[in-house]
Amino acid sequence: MTKISVVMISFNAGELIEPALRSARWADEIVVVDSGSTDGTPAIGRRYANRFLHEDWRGFTAQKQFAVSLASNDWVFILDQDEEISPELAAQIQALDDDVLSRCDLFEVRRRNYAMGRPVRAWWPDHQSRLFHRGRCRWADEAIHDRRHPSEPGRTAKLTGWLEHRRHCREGFFDFNVGRISADRLRRAVMQMHDRGKLCHWWDVFIHPTAAFIKSYFMKRGFLDGVFGFMVARQQAHTTYLRYAALWAIQHDIAYQASDDDDQPRSTDSVEEATDAAAE
């Protein structure tokens, strides 16, 4: 039977990391890479992990790649510190035989996301590429979300089990949508859009936020969650607006700097100013 390693990166996980690691006790190996926690995370991690070590922060994708490289097994499941593997998903993974694993490079799993203590209907099923063969998959170049791709099309399968993503408590939901975390994520996403040559036209700041609301509230049936569903859809639209507004700001700032008629130096931090101002 093929052995599977569960890999996690951690930092000040508080009360979240213990249920996460407990849900992975079925694995043949647990590897945790911590980037300098100052709370009880290291003590908890060492209780559950076969291998626990410190590594200075490299960035989301690079840190996970480093952690995966430390696993003893080629088949790896990436688990975030604020997630739990459901018993159904754990049973499905353990039931995978060598024949199935030889025909696949990657398995997608569903993730149920929570905000303010309740599941978000509009964010389901949120497929994640978490179980994969590290020697047969390539990592996508993404600023925020780490993703992997199989060696060739057709070597991906989907599991019906799911992850429980409980990160958003009341305070966490507020901080994520209003404070520093939101601004930081937006900044990185917008910089990647700009670096890839993405442009924001005047109509983008109208069309994309509206489409985001319609998808969340109507197509994903967020309206069934009442006021809570409306709040989520409204936030999706607002975040989408900020992304395109910041992209518009940075591309016009650069355009102004390149103009021969503009003798005044201008800041190159428009995207930071746009996202910070909106988030504060």
Side-chain angles (χ1 to χ4, degrees):
M1 187 68 181
T2 301
K3 293 185 176 182
I4 296 175
S5 297
V6 169
V7 169
M8 175 187 294
I9 61 173
S10 65
F11 178 74
N12 287 347
E15 300 176 355
L16 294 170
I17 191 172
E18 185 157 16
L21 292 173
R22 191 184 300 124
S23 74
R25 286 182 297 183
W26 53 268
D28 298 289
E29 177 189 46
I30 298 178
V31 176
V32 178
V33 175
D34 188 79
S35 54
S37 294
T38 56
D39 62 0
T41 298
I44 297 172
R46 290 188 178 95
R47 280 209 308 269
Y48 289 90
N50 301 94
R51 188 173 185 184
F52 181 96
L53 72 156
H54 168 84
E55 177 68 17
D56 290 339
W57 184 244
R58 300 176 173 213
F60 285 102
T61 298
Q63 191 81 350
K64 290 186 177 182
Q65 287 177 310
F66 173 74
V68 167
S69 72
L70 300 176
S72 301
N73 305 304
D74 285 331
W75 276 99
V76 176
F77 188 99
I78 291 182
L79 179 66
D80 286 349
Q81 63 182 13
D82 53 6
E83 298 172 339
E84 298 168 38
I85 300 171
S86 68
E88 292 82 358
L89 178 56
Q92 280 188 310
I93 294 174
Q94 290 175 283
L96 294 171
D97 58 33
D98 292 341
D99 180 58
V100 173
L101 293 174
S102 68
R103 290 184 275 110
C104 292
D105 297 339
L106 172 71
F107 291 88
E108 291 187 351
V109 301
R110 300 180 296 174
R111 183 170 68 171
R112 181 158 55 190
N113 297 286
Y114 288 71
M116 294 185 287
R118 58 188 292 181
V120 181
R121 187 187 307 269
W123 295 347
W124 174 264
D126 189 19
H127 287 104
Q128 301 286 315
S129 57
R130 296 300 186 84
L131 178 61
F132 62 99
H133 189 287
R134 63 180 177 181
R136 302 201 297 256
C137 286
R138 58 183 176 84
W139 292 68
D141 181 21
E142 297 292 338
I144 299 177
H145 303 291
D146 60 288
R147 293 186 177 90
R148 287 142 293 276
H149 300 293
S151 60
E152 58 184 60
R155 293 187 61 83
T156 298
K158 291 183 178 181
L159 300 177
T160 57
W162 63 92
L163 289 167
E164 298 280 8
H165 187 208
R166 302 182 185 276
R167 171 169 55 87
H168 295 307
C169 60
R170 286 176 174 83
E171 294 80 6
F173 183 72
F174 181 85
D175 291 340
F176 180 79
N177 287 280
V178 181
R180 177 188 57 79
I181 297 176
S182 176
D184 180 64
R185 290 170 63 89
L186 276 168
R187 185 179 301 116
R188 285 185 281 121
V190 172
M191 289 305 301
Q192 184 172 74
M193 292 169 68
H194 178 264
D195 291 343
R196 291 178 174 178
K198 178 71 174 178
L199 296 177
C200 176
H201 304 285
W202 66 265
W203 57 82
D204 287 322
V205 296
F206 297 99
I207 294 177
H208 290 285
T210 302
F213 181 89
I214 291 173
K215 179 180 179 180
S216 179
Y217 194 65
F218 294 105
M219 298 176 65
K220 302 288 285 187
R221 300 186 298 170
F223 63 87
L224 295 178
D225 286 334
V227 174
F228 176 73
F230 177 82
M231 289 170 58
V232 170
R234 178 66 182 83
Q235 184 58 37
Q236 293 282 110
H238 182 60
T239 301
T240 303
Y241 163 77
L242 288 179
R243 188 162 63 244
Y244 280 92
L247 179 61
W248 183 91
I250 191 174
Q251 74 187 37
H252 279 74
D253 187 59
I254 291 175
Y256 292 143
Q257 289 184 69
S259 174
D260 292 335
D261 297 329
D262 190 351
D263 296 329
Q264 299 297 321
R266 298 176 58 89
S267 170
T268 59
D269 297 330
S270 295
V271 63
E272 296 189 12
E273 294 169 359
T275 52
D276 286 341
E280 291 177 353

